[in-house]
Amino acid sequence: MADVRTLPDAEVAPDAPPSPTHVTIRREDYTPPDWLVPEIALKFTLELDKTKVQSKLTVRRNPTSATANAVLRLNGDELKPVGIWVDGTPSEAWEMDGDDLLVTLAGDAHEVAIETEINPSANSKLMGLYASNDMLCTQCEAEGFRRITFFPDRPDVLSKYRVRMEADEARFPILLTNGNPVATGKLDGGRHWAEWEDPFPKPSYLFALVAGDLKPNRDSFTTMSGRKVDLAIWVREADLAKTGHAMESLKAAMAWDEKVYGREYDLDLFNIVAVSDFNMGAMENKGLNIFNSAYVLADTDTATDVDFDNIARVVAHEYFHNWSGDRVTCLDWFQLSLKEGFTVFRDQSFSADTGSPAVKRIEDVRSLRSFQFPEDSGPLAHPVRPDSYMEISNFYTATVYNKGAELIRMMHTVLGPEKFRAGTDLYFQRHDGQAATCDDFVKALEDGSGVDLSAFKIWYSQAGTPLVDARVSYDPGSGTATMELEQRVKPTPGQPEKAPMPIPLKTALIGEKSGAEIAPERLVLLDQPKQSVRFEGLSEAPLLSINRGFSAPVVMRAQRGPHDLERLAQSDTDPFARYEAMQDLAMNLLTAGARGEEVDPEPLIRAVRNTLDSNALDPAFKAEAILLPQEALIAERMDVVDSDAVHRSREHLRHALGSSLAAELKRAQASVMAGADRTPLAKGTRRLRSVALDLIAGGDPAEGVRLAKAQFDAADNMTDRQRSLAVLASLDGPEREEALAAFLDRFKDDALVVDKWFAIQAQSQRTDTPERVERLATHPLFSLTNPNRLRAVVSQFAMNHWAFNEESGRGYRFVSDMIMAADRLNPQIAARLVPAFGKWRRFEPKRSALMHEQLERIVGTAGLSRDTYEQASKSLG
Ligand code: BES
Ligand code: ZN
């Protein structure tokens, strides 16, 4: 059967046993589809445990395909055909090839009809059509459509969909799919039907269907050309009151995309549905976005400020995909960053424009450093546009998403907003209705702006975070300074040799005495291994302010001592650089402490005091600036990681700050804002309040307990409540268990808040945390099948650096037990837990061996999914 493939050639890795688990898909093997499917008509006879799917494909030989293949390959996954018809006649000219269905066709254009039967209730992978809380819903990206019906399930086959749904009306009063409703009707036996049509051709991964007893929050939006769009957010009746923020976010996102990108919504209807069991955050299905309820539902009492911000961000992200993803989609899954990196850049810009841009940038960089940098320096490192994969679900990574967004941000920085916009206008116009590539995107930016960006393409293909060294020397006699820059990228799997990359560095010089900008900001493009840059006309010694605004996603190693950093922390004119000076100051102390060196915390204490006392800084910025780097970030900077030493070092500094600045911190902690007030000032005040509380507890645990308990009891909002509970959860005394019990008792019926209850305990900084999470996994409210609940316990624990890396290996065993248990139900979710073990080579020998042992145990498990196998085997290296 090898000669009838229409999918990119699959290949068995040379030294692997010939198991379907080991098949590697390569980007270079792309071939256009042999057959196109301009139209598809689907009929669903819906039932929770037995749904009939009748599909009619209009197929046509692809004129641009190189081969004249008579065989139509339709992908399937755990499907059996009940019947197959070609041009209306039952056909025998088909066979199975593994999971795929091969139909032999005589001519160039046919109608192929297929019937399948599926069981949504038994679908624990939550891919394809599945049941959640008695409703039916779909998730098709990346390869879930093939679990519903046989189809060329690849993003470059675009079809017009016509869908008919039939179901019991009492159980499933609401029937939704993509596009617009065209007709509805009643059937015998209490059943009803609805027919919908989506006028925009789309790949199968954007198909969606929802059936259930849902209620809408309805609103409308009038587009810039004056068309009225009906909006609805569908939830269970009890949740209706929590949909207001998501609706406001949607309308804000629609207006923003018109204003900033000139992009208008294109259907008459836009639906969002919230579901409780969902593998991801949300999904951009055309006209019918499906969301994890965590990114829809919010009110002051149950959602934190971070939850509110995340909802706005995710709603905007999925909405923005209507253009960057749906109207222009991806040629193959290797181009995933074309839609995801770009859409993350768009949602980041949206959030920056609707809040504080400086604080938003700091948050985005912190998340890049916490998730993407470790990925890029570990065994799972891969380029933004990967070259191969076993399971595409494993490539929805921080690299594809966040580094992909940084790469677009760099091109935006180089072009400036107007030329960038000219480029995106051309991109959307040129590729509307097409499946495009990352190269197409860069080409459109170049053609639209008239600027050569070809050098930046290496960011798509070369993995690894560049390390940049910077050093400034000053000659007072001539008033000149010279900056020496050097870049290097360490080898990554499959890429032993690295080429220099173009690195745009926003740079300025700050006067050591005056604190003023003595050389104004300029954009330095570092594109050689070594480069030097001269600054003239200086009247005082300069301090280096570099990578301002984090203009390039690199590890910057600027040579600056504690005195310089303290000065910059006070006077740098770029807020990000100022934050960075504080972080560098703290990080230098923390890494020295972890190496067992004696450190002087005074410069940091003074800098934190200055920050707290400043009248010019807003509270959200202050909170970010004084927050000590997380233990995982400190560990990233160590040659050999000892997680106990890292923890001790951070605790030591936390104690020093908390005890030296008790008065200032208590003032910040006492500042109360009503929870319903979500202005940037109110959110920032609450954030600073909890950062201060955490430092106070570091200085004086008894005082920490007292203040945290008081904050918890008095809280009128989930932000103050959750953060005070998190502080209590790491301290001793009866208050901890009392508060945890009170919290659960009050919110036990609200799944999203119960998730917080589990997460707070999994994040707790206590020696008994590993034991506690083991017990949590046997709690009656724990669930292996609900992704949010599993993540609340296991992912949160795996990110708790000190507890997860507890030296007996108990934490490692727990997480790998959970991975193997989850793998049997939901491989995608299990595989996402594996990277927790990816750092095993960086640890001291004892922990290194214990982590390695768990990875080997996972890889050796019989019947392991392809998803988990790929992650675990690659992590072993
Ligand atoms: N297209 C993705 C959802 C998705 C990811 C589906 C992986 C299938 C497999 C969606 O647009 C997305 O990126 N969602 C993110 C949130 C977003 C704000 C970055 C998610 O689900 O985490
Ligand atoms: Zn996305």
Side-chain angles (χ1 to χ4, degrees):
M1 280 300 128
D3 54 336
V4 295
R5 293 207 171 102
T6 59
L7 273 179
D9 273 351
E11 217 176 272
V12 174
D15 54 355
S19 139
T21 301
H22 297 69
V23 174
T24 295
I25 314 285
R26 292 178 202 286
R27 187 166 64 86
E28 64 198 17
D29 294 337
Y30 174 83
T31 54
D34 290 335
W35 291 86
L36 302 178
V37 187
E39 282 171 37
I40 173 172
L42 285 164
K43 181 180 166 195
F44 287 86
T45 309
L46 295 160
E47 255 171 80
L48 281 175
D49 49 13
K50 191 174 155 191
T51 287
K52 183 160 76 173
V53 185
Q54 292 159 289
S55 152
K56 213 177 272 175
L57 313 181
T58 307
V59 304
R60 191 178 350 103
R61 202 182 283 284
N62 183 2
T64 66
S65 155
T67 57
N69 202 329
V71 176
L72 169 69
R73 174 177 290 264
L74 302 171
N75 305 113
D77 181 11
E78 299 177 11
L79 290 181
K80 268 201 209 72
V82 176
I84 296 173
W85 297 260
V86 174
D87 301 323
T89 324
S91 167
E92 299 287 313
W94 61 270
E95 63 181 310
M96 297 297 294
D97 176 28
D99 277 331
D100 292 351
L101 170 66
L102 310 180
V103 184
T104 303
L105 298 172
D108 289 343
H110 294 279
E111 189 192 88
V112 177
I114 303 161
E115 187 177 317
T116 51
E117 206 171 83
I118 51 183
N119 180 354
S121 289
N123 183 355
S124 64
K125 294 183 179 174
L126 313 186
M127 287 294 286
L129 181 71
Y130 65 92
S132 171
N133 280 331
D134 286 343
M135 68 187 256
L136 288 168
C137 65
T138 55
Q139 171 56 38
C140 292
E141 186 177 3
E143 296 179 337
F145 192 71
R146 62 183 67 183
R147 297 170 57 76
I148 296 174
T149 185
F150 290 101
F151 195 77
D153 193 13
R154 43 186 286 171
D156 58 348
V157 172
L158 277 64
S159 320
K160 273 197 189 168
Y161 281 64
R162 189 177 176 98
V163 178
R164 181 182 167 99
M165 296 164 280
E166 289 184 13
D168 180 80
E169 188 165 15
R171 230 176 219 277
F172 304 108
I174 301 301
L175 302 172
L176 306 170
T177 181
N178 316 86
N180 303 307
V182 289
T184 58
K186 306 267 181 199
L187 298 165
D188 291 344
R191 296 177 71 80
H192 70 149
W193 60 271
E195 243 178 69
W196 291 54
E197 222 172 56
D198 183 355
F200 293 95
K202 64 171 176 289
S204 50
Y205 82 86
L206 290 173
F207 169 77
L209 178 155
V210 171
D213 186 5
L214 297 163
K215 296 285 184 279
N217 171 359
R218 290 190 193 274
D219 207 325
S220 73
F221 179 84
T222 303
T223 68
M224 59 185 179
S225 71
R227 280 190 316 102
K228 180 166 169 269
V229 180
D230 290 323
L231 311 174
I233 299 181
W234 299 88
V235 297
R236 289 186 288 175
E237 187 160 24
D239 291 330
L240 262 182
K242 292 188 180 183
T243 55
H245 177 66
M247 184 60 88
E248 290 313 306
S249 305
L250 174 60
K251 289 187 286 178
M254 294 178 87
W256 188 90
D257 213 17
E258 292 185 347
K259 185 171 122 226
V260 181
Y261 282 86
R263 297 293 117 197
E264 186 175 340
Y265 188 63
D266 50 10
L267 288 162
D268 302 331
L269 185 59
F270 188 76
N271 283 316
I272 287 179
V273 177
V275 305
S276 326
D277 302 278
F278 199 72
N279 281 349
M280 302 295 296
M283 177 64 208
E284 71 265 26
N285 319 298
K286 183 79 188 186
L288 177 55
N289 288 3
I290 299 185
F291 272 60
N292 186 321
S293 53
Y295 297 109
V296 176
L297 306 178
D299 63 22
T300 306
D301 218 29
T302 56
T304 63
D305 293 337
V306 170
D307 294 330
F308 276 92
D309 285 353
N310 283 339
I311 288 169
R313 178 204 172 193
V314 180
V315 167
H317 177 100
E318 306 310 338
Y319 172 73
F320 295 156
H321 269 314
N322 188 57
W323 275 95
S324 49
D326 297 3
R327 288 288 287 257
V328 182
T329 192
C330 301
L331 185 78
D332 60 32
W333 289 120
F334 298 104
Q335 317 298 327
L336 183 58
S337 196
L338 174 71
K339 75 176 177 81
E340 294 303 347
F342 185 27
T343 305
V344 169
F345 174 69
R346 278 151 58 69
D347 81 56
Q348 289 179 346
S349 314
F350 165 77
S351 299
D353 286 355
T354 49
S356 153
V359 171
K360 173 64 178 159
R361 189 64 186 136
I362 290 168
E363 290 167 356
D364 287 341
V365 172
R366 200 193 17 252
S367 125
L368 187 80
R369 284 174 170 156
S370 308
F371 300 106
Q372 200 277 325
F373 280 18
E375 187 168 276
D376 228 356
S377 65
L380 298 172
H382 55 275
V384 170
R385 184 189 55 213
D387 291 312
S388 67
Y389 61 77
M390 288 182 198
E391 171 50 61
I392 184 57
S393 300
N394 288 331
F395 284 80
Y396 288 76
T397 60
T399 297
V400 168
Y401 274 65
N402 301 78
K403 189 178 182 179
E406 292 298 322
L407 135 59
I408 287 167
R409 182 182 296 271
M410 285 190 284
M411 295 192 285
H412 181 276
T413 300
V414 168
L415 296 180
E418 285 84 22
K419 285 184 177 165
F420 183 81
R421 169 69 191 271
T424 59
D425 281 353
L426 182 60
Y427 169 71
F428 288 124
Q429 182 217 317
R430 191 183 265 175
H431 297 289
D432 190 8
Q434 294 180 2
T437 64
C438 298
D439 285 342
D440 292 333
F441 182 78
V442 178
K443 185 78 171 69
L445 287 187
E446 289 185 313
D447 293 350
S449 68
V451 177
D452 180 0
L453 295 167
S454 51
F456 280 89
K457 284 197 190 175
I458 191 171
W459 282 94
Y460 279 108
S461 57
Q462 184 163 281
T465 308
L467 307 174
V468 177
D469 286 292
R471 168 160 63 80
V472 168
S473 55
Y474 175 56
D475 174 25
S478 60
T480 60
T482 309
M483 173 170 71
E484 308 282 352
L485 295 172
E486 208 174 322
Q487 63 160 301
R488 188 165 75 89
V489 185
K490 290 187 187 160
T492 55
Q495 293 186 341
E497 306 291 340
K498 300 287 185 177
M501 309 186 77
I503 299 173
L505 296 168
K506 286 188 184 166
T507 307
L509 297 179
I510 308 293
E512 189 188 0
K513 292 233 161 47
S514 64
E517 232 175 65
I518 54 170
E521 179 175 297
R522 59 160 124 158
L523 189 64
V524 172
L525 185 69
L526 167 65
D527 57 2
Q528 304 297 312
K530 284 186 188 191
Q531 229 162 293
S532 70
V533 180
R534 263 166 73 88
F535 297 84
E536 283 166 2
L538 306 179
S539 50
E540 58 177 308
L543 300 174
L544 179 59
S545 173
I546 193 165
N547 207 14
R548 291 157 69 93
F550 203 71
S551 57
V554 300
V555 173
M556 194 69 226
R557 296 186 299 201
Q559 226 176 58
R560 302 179 300 190
H563 168 79
D564 294 0
L565 290 171
E566 190 184 341
R567 191 82 183 98
L568 286 167
Q570 205 178 1
S571 50
D572 200 312
T573 46
D574 176 64
F576 182 83
R578 192 164 167 166
Y579 157 83
E580 195 74 331
M582 291 284 284
Q583 293 292 300
D584 277 0
L585 194 53
M587 186 60 98
N588 293 343
L589 297 175
L590 291 163
T591 49
R595 287 191 301 264
E597 294 164 23
E598 206 46 63
V599 296
D600 173 16
E602 281 308 317
L604 181 67
I605 292 171
R606 282 195 301 266
V608 171
R609 179 181 292 122
N610 260 318
T611 304
L612 285 169
D613 288 349
S614 162
N615 293 321
L617 300 172
D618 62 76
F621 178 86
K622 290 183 183 183
E624 293 299 337
I626 71 167
L627 189 68
L628 288 176
Q630 297 306 303
E631 289 174 20
L633 289 183
I634 307 166
E636 277 287 297
R637 304 282 182 107
M638 309 296 296
D639 293 328
V640 176
V641 181
D642 171 348
S643 47
D644 286 332
V646 167
H647 180 72
R648 272 196 306 273
S649 173
R650 191 171 184 279
E651 285 302 290
H652 180 73
L653 201 54
R654 195 163 78 101
H655 177 81
L657 289 171
S659 48
S660 311
L661 299 168
E664 291 87 341
L665 292 167
K666 279 183 194 169
R667 266 201 303 281
Q669 196 274 330
S671 182
V672 180
M673 298 287 250
D677 182 352
R678 274 192 313 278
T679 57
L681 178 66
K683 287 196 290 187
T685 304
R686 283 190 288 270
R687 175 105 173 100
L688 181 58
R689 180 171 206 220
S690 65
V691 171
L693 176 61
D694 181 68
L695 288 174
I696 295 167
D700 179 351
E703 184 67 355
V705 169
R706 198 181 65 75
L707 290 173
K709 175 76 166 65
Q711 178 174 323
F712 180 80
D713 289 341
D716 74 342
N717 64 87
M718 184 51 79
T719 306
D720 281 341
R721 194 176 287 132
Q722 185 216 34
R723 289 175 183 161
S724 54
L725 186 59
V727 170
L728 273 180
S730 297
L731 294 168
D732 287 323
E735 292 86 349
R736 179 182 70 248
E737 298 302 333
E738 279 164 27
L740 281 167
F743 186 92
L744 183 62
D745 187 53
R746 175 161 172 192
F747 295 107
K748 56 183 174 306
D749 298 325
D750 187 325
L752 298 173
V753 186
V754 174
D755 290 338
K756 296 185 198 303
W757 182 82
F758 277 100
I760 285 167
Q761 296 173 77
Q763 291 159 339
S764 146
Q765 298 290 296
R766 296 177 54 81
T767 50
D768 62 1
T769 298
E771 187 188 328
R772 188 163 192 126
V773 293
E774 285 172 16
R775 263 186 288 125
L776 286 176
T778 64
H779 193 281
L781 290 173
F782 180 73
S783 161
L784 267 179
T785 55
N786 178 263
N788 288 0
R789 192 59 50 84
L790 185 72
R791 278 188 285 252
V793 177
V794 189
S795 308
Q796 292 303 321
F797 174 67
M799 286 192 285
N800 183 342
H801 198 261
W802 184 47
F804 173 61
N805 294 300
E806 187 272 327
E807 72 168 334
S808 73
R810 187 169 182 168
Y812 302 150
R813 232 172 302 122
F814 170 72
V815 173
S816 81
D817 285 349
M818 285 298 173
I819 289 172
M820 291 188 293
D823 193 57
R824 290 188 278 272
L825 298 163
N826 188 333
Q828 259 183 43
I829 298 295
R832 281 180 178 268
L833 299 168
V834 175
F837 293 106
K839 297 269 113 173
W840 66 272
R841 278 179 204 278
R842 302 277 325 283
F843 273 78
E844 51 78 25
K846 186 163 177 222
R847 288 178 175 86
S848 183
L850 288 166
M851 290 169 102
H852 188 260
E853 189 185 311
Q854 292 308 324
L855 280 173
E856 298 230 285
R857 186 176 155 230
I858 294 169
V859 171
T861 303
L864 200 67
S865 69
R866 170 171 60 226
D867 310 57
T868 300
Y869 175 81
E870 175 174 38
Q871 296 300 76
S873 62
K874 287 184 175 172
S875 297
L876 281 167

